[in-house]
Amino acid sequence: MTSAVDNRRLAKNTMVLYFRMLFQMAVFFYISRVIIRVLGVVDYGVYDVVAGLVVVMMFLNNAMTTSSQRFITVALGKGDKEYLNKIYSACIMIHGGLALLVLLLGETAGLWYMHHYMNIPPERFESALWVFHSSLFSAMILVFNVPFNAAIIAYERMTAFAFINIFDTLCKLGIVLALPYCDWGDKLQAYAVMLLVENLVARSLYIYYCRRNFRNMKFVWHTGKEVFRQIFSFVGWNSLTNTALVCNTQGINLLLNFIGGPVVNAGRGVAVSVQSAITAFVSSFQTAVYPQITKSYAQGDIKNMVDLVSRSSRLSFCLLLILAVPILIETPSLLSIWLTNVPPYAVAFTRLLVCVSLVDAFANPLMVGAAATGRVKLYYSIEGGMLLSALPLACLIARLGFGPEAVFVVHLCVVFATQCVRVFLCHNLYALPRSEYFVKSMARGITVLLAALTLPCLTHHYILPDKLWLHFANSLLAALWTAGCIVGLGLENKERNFILSKIKSMAGIN
């Protein structure tokens, strides 16, 4: 009975999050198109690299985000109210201190790097400083908000989570629509300040919702040293992996700025926008299933946990293919349709980052499973060490004279190698069956990818370059063909039968 209730909750939460995702995807694609047109390629690149520098100041936040979600979810799974209040309170206090640390690092090391190393046109440097300070205060708000966001996810209140996200998205859309008519100073400065105000309003809603709806979760000052010790022990090792992730995103962004300036950063910004959109397509499913992975471990149901990890890893990859395959094949045409002015390198960067996202789709459920165990010292040491190698290798490639595209090729190779090692690490942590995972999840997913590429690649070859509408039609064909390949090759029999029965039911076929 409990399993059936969990499955219904998972299905409901997934649908709610997919509605949120589809809405956000449509809006963010429109926002990116307008922002590039209003700000121009150079200012868009300036915003991307400066905001990225601020993200570097938040290198500990990703580790604390994972920790907060893990400990709050485990406390809920145990049903210990006193322990839950201590964990919740400790997370709030730690994130408050972390927000102040972000401010300190930003106003010292961040400003020093901007003045001495950042490649920004002199006439745009004052506007870049506005972006920097506005982004820094936005970062502080985001950091402090993490425990409240984590609580909503742990309680699986995905409807509230989705509606707050939609409100956030609508506010950002309003800013973009108002920006062309804004007469207040420089447009780049105005955009940065308006985003800061919007972040403050939207993030306050998470705090209000938690205080109003989670009455059993209260802030207490006396949490005890043991709670902080548990959290910091987890964060200490987790921070290695998350520091590596920051290096592989914003560190590479700063490297690209050093190599080619804001124009190259603009190309990377477009690629990241596409990557974020398609990742959201699968993250809705993953966000719904992650609390159940952690709760299964907390309740001692390791078999169900392993099944959730393996299945969600395979299904995440397959779901992502529905968008990834059309984009990989028709990148130049889709970017031309989307943007009036496609920045240099955007096409190559987009294809490479889509491939990185495909590997990450496999990886993320495994990482959640590892975090659920709490025994992460060896796991994060090896995973983080391997991921950290991407930035120095990318610097070496750039120094040898290779183009900016080679930086992302190195990134992709490191991410794939890390995923292969991650499987062996998870086998030791929670008995993930290695051979079965490689065959039934990774090999099966790659088989679907190769099959999905065949027909769209063949039709793409015969389309004239100037016929954009035909390229768009081929993208739709690629998505439909990929969905068919997933049903035929990527799903297990019971999953396939379930989907076919639902389709027949909707069509009124007995």
Side-chain angles (χ1 to χ4, degrees), residues 51-67 95 97-106 108-110 136 139-140 143 146 234-251 254 388 391:
L53 177 61
V54 172
V55 174
V56 174
M57 305 297 113
M58 299 167 62
F59 67 97
L60 284 176
N61 185 58
N62 289 334
M64 267 308 306
T65 299
T66 304
S67 302
H95 277 275
L98 192 57
L100 294 176
L101 178 61
V102 169
L103 178 64
L104 177 63
L105 288 174
T108 53
L136 190 61
M140 292 178 64
V143 168
V146 165
F234 185 91
V235 170
W237 295 107
N238 191 17
S239 61
L240 182 61
T241 291
N242 284 283
T243 299
L245 294 175
V246 171
C247 289
N248 289 349
T249 53
Q250 303 309 328
L254 295 175
L388 273 173
L391 184 58

Side-chain angles (χ1 to χ4, degrees), residues 391-470:
L391 184 58
L393 287 173
C395 291
L396 176 62
I397 288 295
R399 190 172 182 84
L400 291 174
F402 290 90
E405 300 94 335
V407 170
F408 286 105
V409 173
V410 170
H411 182 197
L412 175 60
C413 292
V414 170
V415 167
F416 184 79
T418 304
Q419 168 61 8
C420 293
V421 173
R422 191 181 283 119
V423 175
F424 289 90
L425 295 174
C426 290
H427 171 75
N428 294 329
L429 276 176
Y430 51 89
L432 179 76
R434 293 169 297 186
S435 300
E436 184 178 331
Y437 180 85
F438 276 120
V439 173
K440 291 188 176 181
S441 292
M442 290 186 65
R444 195 170 193 168
I446 293 171
T447 301
V448 176
L449 170 61
L450 295 176
L453 288 171
T454 53
L455 179 62
C457 283
L458 183 64
T459 53
H460 171 82
H461 180 72
Y462 292 101
I463 298 176
L464 295 176
D466 59 336
K467 301 293 184 181
L468 285 180
W469 71 272
L470 285 176

Side-chain angles (χ1 to χ4, degrees), residues 225-287:
K225 294 181 180 179
E226 180 62 22
V227 172
F228 283 98
R229 188 195 66 77
Q230 291 176 9
I231 295 175
F232 280 122
S233 175
F234 185 91
V235 170
W237 295 107
N238 191 17
S239 61
L240 182 61
T241 291
N242 284 283
T243 299
L245 294 175
V246 171
C247 289
N248 289 349
T249 53
Q250 303 309 328
I252 286 178
N253 196 22
L254 295 175
L255 173 63
L256 292 173
N257 177 259
F258 186 78
I259 295 172
V263 173
V264 178
N265 292 120
R268 182 258 179 195
V270 168
V272 169
S273 295
V274 175
Q275 182 191 33
S276 299
I278 68 167
T279 301
F281 187 73
V282 70
S283 67
S284 297
F285 167 71
Q286 292 179 336
T287 301

